[in-house]
Amino acid sequence: MTAKNIKEELDVLSTPEKKEFLPYFFKTGKGQYGEGDLFIGVVVPDTRKVAKKYKDMSYEEVTKLLDSPYHECRLCGLLILVERLKKSKESERKEIYEFYLSKTSRINNWDLVDLSARDIVGEYLVDKDRSILYTLADSSLLWDQRIAILATFAFIRKNDHKDILALSEKLLDHKHDLMHKAIGWMLREAGKRDKAVLTAFLDKHYKMMPRTMLRYSIEKLTQEERAYYMKK
């Protein structure tokens, strides 16, 4: 199976409605974060089915998928890596993790990050040094920064909140809405597991947090708590 074959399978799954809608949804206009991205018009569940069939594809062919101008081809390449991880030994997990980090310039939209970073980066780092996340957070590339935040989801699920709190503080002044949403989302996930962790962070930072980040983070709090934190 080659990247060309996968592109052909995805073409068959395309719908005119999605091909028209997705470029708008993923902000592909001039000056927008997804500028120039091309779409075949395939929904994620269908792309995932293709990825599951070809999880043993070579890295050479996965690289071709990631280098594709088509969004769904890049997503399929990433989902192939996620599928491969599920039954991989430690040595291959490391190989997938290192391959992924070498390709972050091609993981260049929020859904590509969100559907891969937790499993490939976060799960690998659960029992390892996590300084790479702070290096990614310092990157000039928006997608590196979002990978750093989404990777913490793996830790949060294990009630380990130290990195999302530290990274949230580090990126509190970030200018991009996509980062505000990602940070707020992960803070909310931490709060769902330990409300005191979230409220302690909010008590310290809520007056300085971008409004989108704040709104995302407090979604699961009571109406009264939300009203309190929304007052600045």
Side-chain angles (χ1 to χ4, degrees):
M1 174 55 62
T2 66
K4 183 175 182 292
N5 297 142
I6 282 184
K7 169 62 165 57
E8 290 169 352
E9 285 206 26
L10 293 172
D11 283 337
V12 172
L13 296 168
S14 171
T15 66
E17 296 80 12
K18 288 298 180 182
K19 191 170 185 178
E20 179 180 358
F21 171 73
L22 290 174
Y24 167 79
F25 183 70
F26 285 104
K27 309 296 184 186
T28 62
K30 187 173 177 58
Q32 295 181 308
Y33 61 76
E35 181 177 352
D37 207 354
L38 301 178
F39 286 82
I40 300 168
V42 184
V43 296
V44 172
D46 286 341
T47 305
R48 197 182 296 278
K49 288 176 185 176
V50 174
K52 286 181 178 179
K53 287 169 60 179
Y54 304 113
K55 61 180 182 296
D56 296 322
M57 174 176 276
S58 70
Y59 285 110
E60 180 182 0
E61 294 301 320
V62 173
T63 295
K64 291 177 183 178
L65 288 173
L66 295 179
D67 286 341
S68 173
Y70 291 99
H71 189 100
E72 293 93 338
C73 286
R74 300 197 304 282
L75 176 58
C76 194
L78 295 169
L79 293 176
I80 285 171
L81 297 178
V82 171
E83 288 298 320
R84 187 176 299 173
L85 269 172
K86 293 179 179 178
K87 294 186 177 180
S88 294
K89 295 180 180 179
E90 178 68 15
S91 59
E92 188 174 10
R93 289 177 65 233
K94 180 181 180 183
E95 192 174 72
I96 293 169
Y97 162 80
E98 291 177 344
F99 175 80
Y100 180 90
L101 289 183
S102 75
K103 301 295 183 182
T104 58
S105 65
R106 303 303 300 154
I107 308 169
N108 54 356
N109 214 311
W110 59 264
D111 65 315
L112 304 182
V113 173
D114 296 2
L115 291 169
S116 61
R118 183 197 71 189
D119 294 326
I120 295 176
V121 179
E123 290 293 345
Y124 179 74
L125 294 176
V126 161
D127 58 353
K128 298 177 180 65
D129 177 81
R130 301 171 188 174
S131 57
I132 183 61
L133 299 184
Y134 298 84
T135 301
L136 291 169
D138 283 332
S139 170
S140 60
L141 188 64
L142 172 66
W143 310 116
D144 281 351
Q145 296 170 329
R146 190 166 172 114
I147 286 169
I149 293 298
L150 265 293
T152 68
F153 202 175
F155 319 147
I156 292 167
R157 295 201 302 175
K158 299 179 185 298
N159 294 309
D160 179 351
H161 306 123
K162 61 182 182 295
D163 290 294
I164 187 54
L165 298 176
L167 287 165
S168 296
E169 283 192 332
K170 183 179 179 65
L171 296 169
L172 201 63
D173 296 327
H174 202 286
K175 303 303 181 186
H176 205 292
D177 187 63
L178 285 178
M179 290 301 293
H180 301 167
K181 291 176 179 178
I183 294 168
W185 172 20
M186 290 301 103
L187 288 172
R188 182 180 74 225
E189 291 299 324
K192 283 163 62 176
R193 291 158 176 83
D194 190 335
K195 186 176 178 180
V197 165
L198 173 60
T199 55
F201 183 90
L202 292 173
D203 289 343
K204 184 177 179 181
H205 297 295
Y206 79 97
K207 291 184 179 179
M208 299 171 286
M209 291 170 70
R211 301 295 273 183
T212 297
M213 185 190 299
L214 181 58
R215 287 193 187 97
Y216 270 59
S217 69
I218 64 176
E219 281 182 353
K220 298 300 181 180
L221 299 183
T222 66
Q223 182 176 348
E224 293 76 14
E225 289 167 330
R226 293 197 305 271
Y228 171 79
Y229 286 119
M230 288 302 293
K231 291 180 179 178
K232 287 194 176 184

